[in-house]
Amino acid sequence: MAKTLIYVTLAKAIEEGYIKSLEQKVVDFIPELKGEFANEVRVIDLASMHSGMEWTEPSLNPFSVLAKTYFVKDLNKLILDQPFVEKPGIKFQYSSGNTQILSILIERATGEKITDYFSKHFWKKMNAEQNAIWQLDSYESGNNFNPVTYSQLSAIQLDLNFSNLHRFKFYTCQKFYAKSSTQERDFV
C-alpha cells in the first residue's frame, strides 16, 4: 500500500513541476548517493526498481540492511548509505529501499513532508470520510517508513475502507483521464 501512495505522490510532484520528469537524475535532489553508479540513477529507475542499489529483499540474514531497518535510529542515513553497485535501468530487483529514497526525493523536491504533501493533494481533495493515519518513524527527521511500519500500513491503518478506497481511485483516475484526454500519452 505504501508504494502506491508514494508513486501517486511522485506523479503529483512531477505534474506540479517540482520534478522535471521520470528521466531526471536522483542526484539532483540527493547528491549524497553512494556507489559507482549513483550519478546515473534516474527517478524512473527507483520507481521501477531498476536502480542497481545494493539491497536484498527478502532476507533472513539478521545482519542484513533489511534487518537493520527495524532497529536503526536514522533510517534515512541507513538507506542513503546503500551503494548503487549495478548500472541502473537494466535489472529489476524488488527493494523497499527504492521507495524510501523516492520519499526522500519527493520531500526534498517539494520542501514538504511526504505525509503533508499526500494529504494536501489527495486525501483532503477526495473528501475522505475519515482522517488517514500514516505511521512515521520520526516526523522531525523525515524517516517515513521501515519494515515494521510497512507491515502496519494496511488498509485499516490508513482508513482506506471501501468508500475511501473508491474515492481515492475515482479521484486519481478522474485527474488522469482529464489530463490524458488533452494530451497524447506514450506508455512505453
Side-chain angles (χ1 to χ4, degrees):
M1 178 54 67
K3 288 171 182 56
T4 302
L5 303 181
I6 296 301
Y7 296 151
V8 296
T9 306
L10 171 65
K12 186 63 176 177
I14 291 171
E15 179 183 74
E16 290 194 321
Y18 290 110
I19 299 166
K20 293 176 190 171
S21 76
L22 291 171
E23 298 297 320
Q24 190 168 1
K25 301 286 185 177
V26 175
V27 292
D28 291 350
F29 305 96
I30 310 173
E32 67 269 30
L33 289 183
K34 295 183 174 38
E36 178 182 353
F37 298 101
N39 290 331
E40 297 179 36
V41 180
R42 303 164 300 162
V43 175
I44 188 67
D45 299 323
L46 291 174
S48 67
M49 297 197 183
H50 285 77
S51 70
M53 180 170 46
E54 187 172 80
W55 190 274
T56 303
E57 190 169 341
S59 176
L60 298 176
N61 178 350
F63 302 105
S64 71
V65 174
L66 187 60
K68 289 177 185 177
T69 63
Y70 284 92
F71 306 107
V72 296
K73 294 204 183 286
D74 190 344
L75 180 59
N76 284 354
K77 181 180 179 340
L78 176 71
I79 299 297
L80 292 175
D81 280 346
Q82 302 317 300
F84 291 86
V85 296
E86 295 182 31
K87 188 162 182 62
I90 306 294
K91 178 180 153 191
F92 173 83
Q93 181 177 355
Y94 182 85
S95 167
S96 54
N98 283 311
T99 308
Q100 179 67 25
I101 292 176
L102 277 176
S103 298
I104 296 166
L105 185 148
I106 294 165
E107 287 187 348
R108 291 189 184 180
T110 64
E112 296 182 52
K113 296 290 182 190
I114 192 94
T115 51
D116 295 339
Y117 193 74
F118 177 82
S119 178
K120 177 172 71 176
H121 291 289
F122 294 101
W123 200 256
K124 289 179 182 175
K125 288 187 176 185
M126 70 180 201
N127 296 317
E129 293 178 345
Q130 296 143 351
N131 290 333
I133 300 171
W134 190 318
Q135 292 187 345
L136 303 173
D137 292 338
S138 167
Y139 187 82
E140 293 77 24
S141 70
N143 293 340
N144 299 314
F145 309 111
N146 69 21
V148 173
T149 306
Y150 279 129
S151 68
Q152 295 168 340
L153 246 173
S154 65
I156 295 169
Q157 293 286 149
L158 282 170
D159 282 327
L160 278 177
N161 60 33
F162 286 117
S163 178
N164 283 343
L165 186 57
H166 176 72
R167 288 170 192 255
F168 180 72
K169 181 180 82 172
F170 178 76
Y171 177 75
T172 55
C173 288
Q174 181 183 30
K175 297 286 282 181
F176 171 77
Y177 288 124
K179 188 167 204 159
S180 65
S181 65
T182 62
Q183 299 181 6
E184 193 172 311
R185 294 267 179 196
D186 181 9
F187 290 100
V188 177

